[in-house]
Amino acid sequence: MNTSFLVANWKMNYTDQQTVASLHQIVGKSTLFPKTRLIICPSFTALASAHKLLSNTLIALGAQNLNHNTKGPYTGEINSAMVAEFCSYVVVGHSERRLLFGETSDDVNLKSIAAMHQSLQPIICLDGQSDATRQSNNRTLNIDELVIQVREAIKNFPLNSQFLIAYEPSWAIGSGEPADPDSVNTIAAKIREIVTSVLGSDTGMSVPILYGGSVTLGNINNYCKLPELNGALVGGASLDPAELVELAVSIQ
Ligand code: PEP
């Protein structure tokens, strides 16, 4: 797989106007990174404007969440059809959602299936930890917990499903303490092996696996050059448009 993926998770940072201003700067430089698949995930309220601005570019748009129900009395929620009006991707299972909003592996699985029903590609975030281990801020990876989390995320997926996986240890997110690249490579290989065992080797070999957690310009290629990795998911360092362009240029 030649494409390097770069997912920019802008979290709850920019208004619609601020998003548009940043996107103008990034689009203006996008010829500098023709080989990077850049996926920008602004807040819901900026998706319509971002969609208009990015429609004739190679930059893709993603949402940060969705509700798996198709419609009904879910005040404040946004379903996959609403997201698919504007986006090609959606982040699911981010560890902030698991930690702060109590999302379970079942939720992540249902959201992913709902997304794929609308031809959205879920970017499934996994930290390889059970809820109890995450809450206790334990950094040791327990392979059994990783296996359970991956299997729960992708259960009932149809064969040939199109999705991405981002391995993001919760303790590395926003902490300035990225995970050790060698262990990330080993974990990515294990994730690929589990996906292969559940969905077959075509999906297992082709699923893009990204790393996220305190990625910066200084360390991004320690991850993107790893044999098992296909890119990075970046939060804090993606907020500055000039820095995001540099990240996209540096990994292609
Ligand atoms: C994230 O939002 O998933 C993330 C990895 O954030 P940061 O790059 O700031 O650690």
Side-chain angles (χ1 to χ4, degrees), residues 4 13 102 107 109 183:
S4 288
N13 282 296
D107 296 326
N109 175 252
S183 57

Tab-separated table of all heavy atoms in Angstrom, residues 4 13 102 107 109 183:
chain	number	residue	atom	x	y	z
A	4	SER	N	0.068	7.287	2.060
A	4	SER	CA	0.242	7.618	3.472
A	4	SER	C	-0.971	8.421	3.916
A	4	SER	O	-1.289	9.450	3.317
A	4	SER	CB	1.477	8.489	3.666
A	4	SER	OG	2.618	7.723	3.484
A	13	ASN	N	-12.246	22.572	18.700
A	13	ASN	CA	-11.356	23.733	18.734
A	13	ASN	C	-11.760	24.891	17.847
A	13	ASN	O	-11.584	26.031	18.247
A	13	ASN	CB	-9.929	23.290	18.381
A	13	ASN	CG	-9.262	22.615	19.546
A	13	ASN	OD1	-9.036	23.223	20.588
A	13	ASN	ND2	-8.997	21.333	19.413
A	102	GLY	N	-18.251	7.519	28.054
A	102	GLY	CA	-18.660	6.148	28.385
A	102	GLY	C	-18.960	5.269	27.180
A	102	GLY	O	-19.735	4.313	27.287
A	107	ASP	N	-20.783	0.072	21.206
A	107	ASP	CA	-21.138	1.339	20.534
A	107	ASP	C	-20.244	1.546	19.312
A	107	ASP	O	-20.706	1.934	18.241
A	107	ASP	CB	-20.939	2.544	21.473
A	107	ASP	CG	-21.865	2.518	22.676
A	107	ASP	OD1	-23.001	2.043	22.540
A	107	ASP	OD2	-21.435	2.980	23.763
A	109	ASN	N	-18.667	-0.603	17.541
A	109	ASN	CA	-19.021	-1.549	16.481
A	109	ASN	C	-20.291	-1.098	15.749
A	109	ASN	O	-20.335	-1.074	14.507
A	109	ASN	CB	-19.210	-2.930	17.124
A	109	ASN	CG	-19.693	-3.963	16.137
A	109	ASN	OD1	-20.842	-4.399	16.178
A	109	ASN	ND2	-18.835	-4.358	15.214
A	183	SER	N	7.372	-0.809	19.471
A	183	SER	CA	6.208	-1.518	20.024
A	183	SER	C	4.962	-1.203	19.203
A	183	SER	O	4.097	-2.064	19.011
A	183	SER	CB	6.017	-1.226	21.508
A	183	SER	OG	5.886	0.139	21.699
